[in-house]
Amino acid sequence: MFEARLIQGSVLKKMIDAIKDIVTDINLDCSSTGISVQAMDSGHVCLVLIELGSDGFEPYRCDRNITLGLGLKALSVVVRCANNDDSITIKAQEGTDNINFVFESPNGEKTSQFEIKLMDIDSEHLGIPDTEYDSVVKMPSHEFQRICRDMSQLGDSIVVACTKDGIQFSASGDMGSGKINLRQSSLVDKEEDQINIELNDPVHLTFALRYLNYFTKATPLSPTVTLSLKAESPLCVTYPIGDFGSMKFFLAPKIDDEDTAAATQE
Amino acid sequence: MHACSISQPLPSCQKTTPTPCNEIEMRVLTWNVNGLKAVVKNRQTNLKDFLDSLSADIICLQEVKTTKDQIEENIAIAEGYTSYFSFCKTRQGYSGVATFCRTTVTPVAVEEGITGSCHVGLKDSIGFPVLDLNDEETEQLNNEGRGLLTEHLQENGRGLVIINVYCPRVDPDNPDRLPYKIHFLSVLHERTKRLQAGGKDVLICGDFNCVLDIIDSAAMEDMPTFTKEPKTKELLLSFISKTPPITNEVLLDTYRYLHPTERGSYTCWCTATGSRQLNYGQRIDYILASRGLAESVVSSNVLQDEMGSDHCPVVTQFSISLMPSPTLSHLCSSFYSKFAGKQSKLSSFFSVSPIKRSNSGPVKESSSKKLCTLKEKEAAPVSLSRSRDVKTLSSGSKLSTDWQKVFKAPPKAPLCSGHKEPAVLRVVKKPGPNHNRKFYVCGRPDGSKHDPNASCNFFKWCK
């Protein structure tokens, strides 16, 4: 028996919205400590990692570890039927091939029930190594979304450079080029508007903007976002979910192709 | 000798050519994909897996329907291939051809446009252009993303030029395009002659938008006297032959050469009438080989099981061996400034952990899909009988007749004469006196007159 009730059902809606363009199916790995999801896009370039602790649910019951395979299309259709202030309960009985979703309005006058058929999804589980990042930048999530959107007008790739002076995003294409610099903020009223840069080593990495624009669909989940960068390693974009979980996106960098570099110099 | 063993062996060589090394072969495939992005997306796969599934060394695609501004890396670059595009410069989301070459057969030169005149003087041009055209004509022929040439080096030292073409289609509503099409085809023919005179072998792969023979069109099998675009057909027949050519003037239709009497090998079907279901189509996609290649043709097939477009691929295998060029043409899509840098994969950073899933639902996806289809089939007759019930129940009471005046049920569709099945309602789209008039026709897909499963010629105006 698995049962988990999320008071703020809108969180689930936003999470599904954030990943439905990247992956088609997900496995919910449920254990006594919480729910986790790991899914990779078909090109094996980016990975989504959702971790939700059991303390974010009331009640939370998971008698034994269970994996629930779900198609995101169905999940998205069902979750869209919930109102933003509804609570959402996820239920799965052992030995059945369905998962249940119950939406309850805050005053308890309306309840809706949906069932989705479970799927057997084959997916590779990647071991994500504990990484000490060279630079960790925390900034307002809407600011990051804006930067990615603006830069994608100029080119397909974004160069992220972190130095002691701050973080620089740049892109270039046939039309021209652009640069955006952000510096550590000194005085701000709200903590969530702050830009905070922890720098161990300067880094300089290139990423495909297409994926970053998928990631920033998670912006409604959190007012802040954290970018963790390490030379020649995947970028980690973290959106905290309340104080009980997080949604992380990993993106493999673009590397300078020797052939390409040689040819452009010609 | 096999391509692997020549000059610079690329690391992907061994993987991509599973054939034993004493067998020489090169597979060329042509496919009008009717939107490359959509085909790859609908197959829920990525570009590399899509190309691999076609298992050819050189893949010529037509109607890729994208522009240089819009194209994204996920449909432009695939590992193990080099790719080249010619986009339509005058309209967005229209026409456009692309050639993908395995890295074992990287071309030595690439040209956009069939005339070759834009590449005169450039160091990696193929040469032998058609120059006796004015600037306007040249621009018209080359600007619509209809021609892309790749030149490959054969092991015997001869150049092999592969011309990927998307010939103009003449819409019956827009006959003005016919002169353009005729001009396009004659210039294409002229270029192939010049290339051969220059000592090169030529392959033309693509969508010609023209039927050559009665057995290549289901409609003509029914009505042999009917010929669409007789002028185009006449022109094409003047240089396409079913038997190995003896001059540079003529090209060999590789499929018809090996399957001279095979019927029903259509490559294109009308989507509006569902004619693919009954294979009521036409063969308008060809792989044409010049004289020098005729002896090397091994096999040719029409891959009617490949779905995703209104056309299907055609593949021809040749017993020739190509040598990869050590340098890439500047037209290679990986040199587009927006694709600078190479996308790495997560698997090169993270290792696969052998975590076993604790417990998954007992039902597999396939069986759940089975469940769905079963229910759908049951549902159809149920809903029909239910609506009948409502009518019989309500017909007696006065209240319901009042309501029936308010909400008129759609008139019952007449039964078609051929199958006694409810006909389907259509609306006249063609401008004219009958524009917007409604009519009933048989609901079956289009097919041969003699096929009882095909649409019967039932027609009735709706009153």
Side-chain angles (χ1 to χ4, degrees), chain B residues 20 27 55-56 81 98 152 205 218 222 258 268 277 307 341 357 374:
Chain B
R27 281 164 67 87
S55 61
Y81 297 83
H152 307 260
C205 312
D222 275 355
L258 296 171
C268 178
Q277 289 176 48
M307 307 304 272
R357 298 276 169 197
L374 257 179

Side-chain angles (χ1 to χ4, degrees), chain B residues 81-271:
Chain B
Y81 297 83
T82 60
S83 42
Y84 311 87
F85 287 81
S86 176
F87 303 106
C88 178
K89 294 179 181 74
T90 50
R91 264 170 79 180
Q92 286 208 339
Y94 173 72
S95 182
V97 293
T99 303
F100 291 86
C101 305
R102 281 221 162 113
T103 44
T104 47
V105 296
T106 304
V108 289
V110 181
E111 274 187 16
E112 244 188 278
I114 55 164
T115 67
S117 41
C118 319
H119 293 263
V120 172
L122 292 176
K123 71 171 180 199
D124 62 346
S125 70
I126 295 170
F128 313 103
V130 180
L131 288 174
D132 33 7
L133 300 162
N134 63 39
D135 286 355
E136 196 190 335
E137 284 176 322
T138 310
E139 202 179 296
Q140 262 190 358
L141 290 170
N142 291 342
N143 266 6
E144 288 191 12
R146 298 189 176 275
L148 184 66
L149 282 72
T150 52
E151 181 177 2
H152 307 260
L153 192 60
Q154 295 179 62
E155 208 197 353
N156 61 14
R158 275 171 77 89
L160 166 67
V161 177
I162 297 182
I163 310 180
N164 177 0
V165 287
Y166 172 48
C167 294
R169 192 179 86 96
V170 181
D171 196 309
D173 297 337
N174 188 7
D176 303 351
R177 293 283 279 178
L178 186 61
Y180 175 67
K181 182 173 184 173
I182 299 283
H183 190 213
F184 182 92
L185 289 169
S186 12
V187 171
L188 178 67
H189 184 210
E190 182 59 33
R191 185 83 198 274
T192 57
K193 279 192 282 183
R194 294 191 187 188
L195 286 167
Q196 288 183 76
K200 306 202 188 275
D201 292 324
V202 181
L203 270 181
I204 310 183
C205 312
D207 174 0
F208 283 76
N209 270 317
C210 184
V211 169
L212 294 179
D213 198 352
I214 291 174
I215 59 168
D216 290 334
S217 159
M220 277 164 69
E221 294 246 29
D222 275 355
M223 203 174 16
T225 48
F226 170 75
T227 302
K228 229 163 87 180
E229 294 181 39
K231 259 177 130 180
T232 318
K233 186 179 157 187
E234 194 185 323
L235 172 66
L236 282 175
L237 282 175
S238 74
F239 70 88
I240 299 178
S241 146
K242 286 187 231 178
T243 50
I246 42 169
T247 65
N248 286 347
E249 297 270 322
V250 182
L251 296 160
L252 176 70
D253 178 351
T254 55
Y255 181 81
R256 265 301 161 231
Y257 169 46
L258 296 171
H259 309 269
T261 55
E262 184 81 25
R263 282 161 191 270
S265 43
Y266 306 130
T267 64
C268 178
W269 302 265
C270 175
T271 37

Side-chain angles (χ1 to χ4, degrees), chain A:
Chain A
M1 173 75 183
F2 171 77
E3 184 174 348
R5 180 162 172 265
L6 192 62
I7 305 289
Q8 267 187 295
S10 59
V11 170
L12 187 67
K13 288 178 84 166
K14 291 171 188 167
M15 284 195 292
I16 306 300
D17 273 343
I19 60 169
K20 68 175 177 2
D21 293 329
I22 306 175
V23 289
T24 52
D25 314 293
I26 53 168
N27 273 320
L28 297 185
D29 291 316
C30 310
S31 70
S32 55
T33 54
I35 304 174
S36 77
V37 173
Q38 196 197 85
M40 223 185 330
D41 79 304
S42 66
H44 292 218
V45 172
C46 73
L47 180 140
V48 186
L49 183 65
I50 302 173
E51 280 169 330
L52 301 169
S54 60
D55 46 350
F57 302 92
E58 182 55 47
Y60 185 87
R61 182 179 161 196
C62 183
D63 297 344
R64 67 187 190 90
N65 292 359
I66 183 168
T67 297
L68 306 168
L70 287 168
L72 269 184
K73 208 169 172 186
L75 191 56
S76 173
V77 165
V78 164
V79 167
R80 230 178 285 155
C81 299
N83 278 321
N84 277 337
D85 53 359
D86 282 358
S87 74
I88 296 182
T89 309
I90 308 168
K91 279 188 214 169
Q93 290 277 7
E94 263 170 62
T96 62
D97 51 4
N98 290 317
I99 182 169
N100 279 287
F101 289 86
V102 182
F103 309 147
E104 286 167 280
S105 66
N107 56 18
E109 281 173 1
K110 179 182 173 190
T111 55
S112 331
Q113 270 199 59
F114 294 88
E115 255 183 31
I116 303 180
K117 290 199 182 69
L118 287 173
M119 285 166 41
D120 208 358
I121 300 159
D122 254 344
S123 70
E124 269 184 337
H125 207 272
L126 293 185
I128 298 163
D130 282 331
T131 311
E132 223 172 277
Y133 287 99
D134 294 336
S135 310
V136 178
V137 180
K138 190 178 158 194
M139 67 165 92
S141 57
H142 63 86
E143 186 71 74
F144 181 56
Q145 183 178 37
R146 180 75 203 262
I147 291 170
C148 294
R149 198 179 60 208
D150 291 351
M151 288 289 136
S152 61
Q153 302 296 312
L154 291 166
D156 284 18
S157 302
I158 189 168
V159 178
V160 184
C162 239
T163 62
K164 61 178 181 4
D165 297 326
I167 182 164
Q168 186 184 70
F169 301 90
S170 54
S172 61
D174 295 338
M175 194 166 70
S177 65
K179 275 182 202 164
I180 297 171
N181 278 296
L182 294 180
R183 246 180 285 181
Q184 172 111 12
S185 31
S186 41
L187 279 170
V188 272
D189 296 340
K190 280 192 277 180
E191 203 206 322
E192 56 195 50
D193 289 339
Q194 200 174 11
I195 295 166
N196 186 28
I197 302 174
E198 280 171 43
L199 184 83
N200 296 326
D201 268 310
V203 279
H204 185 277
L205 286 162
T206 309
F207 300 102
L209 273 164
R210 194 162 67 90
Y211 297 98
L212 292 179
N213 280 326
Y214 288 147
F215 301 170
T216 56
K217 296 231 164 81
T219 303
L221 274 174
S222 158
T224 64
V225 63
T226 306
L227 313 181
S228 309
L229 299 130
K230 185 180 167 67
E232 287 161 28
S233 300
L235 161 78
C236 173
V237 180
T238 310
Y239 292 89
I241 298 173
D243 50 5
F244 67 96
S246 68
M247 187 157 199
K248 287 182 178 165
F249 298 94
F250 292 89
L251 174 61
K254 290 182 100 174
I255 42 181
D256 280 332
D257 194 358
E258 278 166 30
D259 298 344
T260 320
T264 36
Q265 272 164 17
E266 251 177 48

Side-chain angles (χ1 to χ4, degrees), chain B residues 354-392:
Chain B
I355 287 183
K356 272 206 170 169
R357 298 276 169 197
S358 34
N359 165 22
S360 47
V363 168
K364 297 222 191 295
E365 191 190 355
S366 54
S367 56
S368 69
K369 270 183 187 157
K370 233 179 249 165
L371 268 172
C372 295
T373 48
L374 257 179
K375 274 184 189 162
E376 275 160 24
K377 271 184 189 159
E378 280 164 11
V382 168
S383 66
L384 261 176
S385 61
R386 200 191 286 153
S387 65
R388 268 186 218 132
D389 285 351
V390 174
K391 264 183 200 158
T392 45

Side-chain angles (χ1 to χ4, degrees), chain B residues 303-420:
Chain B
L303 310 177
Q304 292 185 333
D305 293 335
E306 292 287 351
M307 307 304 272
S309 162
D310 54 338
H311 290 247
C312 79
V314 178
V315 66
T316 296
Q317 194 166 321
F318 296 87
S319 62
I320 55 172
S321 138
L322 299 179
M323 297 196 287
S325 161
T327 53
L328 286 177
S329 159
H330 69 282
L331 287 177
C332 181
S333 63
S334 58
F335 294 147
Y336 294 176
S337 61
K338 61 192 218 173
F339 301 147
K342 192 177 150 197
Q343 179 65 58
S344 59
K345 304 268 178 187
L346 276 177
S347 43
S348 51
F349 303 100
F350 301 154
S351 58
V352 177
S353 65
I355 287 183
K356 272 206 170 169
R357 298 276 169 197
S358 34
N359 165 22
S360 47
V363 168
K364 297 222 191 295
E365 191 190 355
S366 54
S367 56
S368 69
K369 270 183 187 157
K370 233 179 249 165
L371 268 172
C372 295
T373 48
L374 257 179
K375 274 184 189 162
E376 275 160 24
K377 271 184 189 159
E378 280 164 11
V382 168
S383 66
L384 261 176
S385 61
R386 200 191 286 153
S387 65
R388 268 186 218 132
D389 285 351
V390 174
K391 264 183 200 158
T392 45
L393 264 178
S394 55
S395 56
S397 75
K398 188 189 171 292
L399 188 69
S400 70
T401 47
D402 287 349
W403 275 116
Q404 274 172 10
K405 280 175 198 155
V406 181
F407 298 114
K408 272 187 209 142
K412 240 184 176 177
L415 300 181
C416 72
S417 48
H419 313 96
K420 304 290 171 224

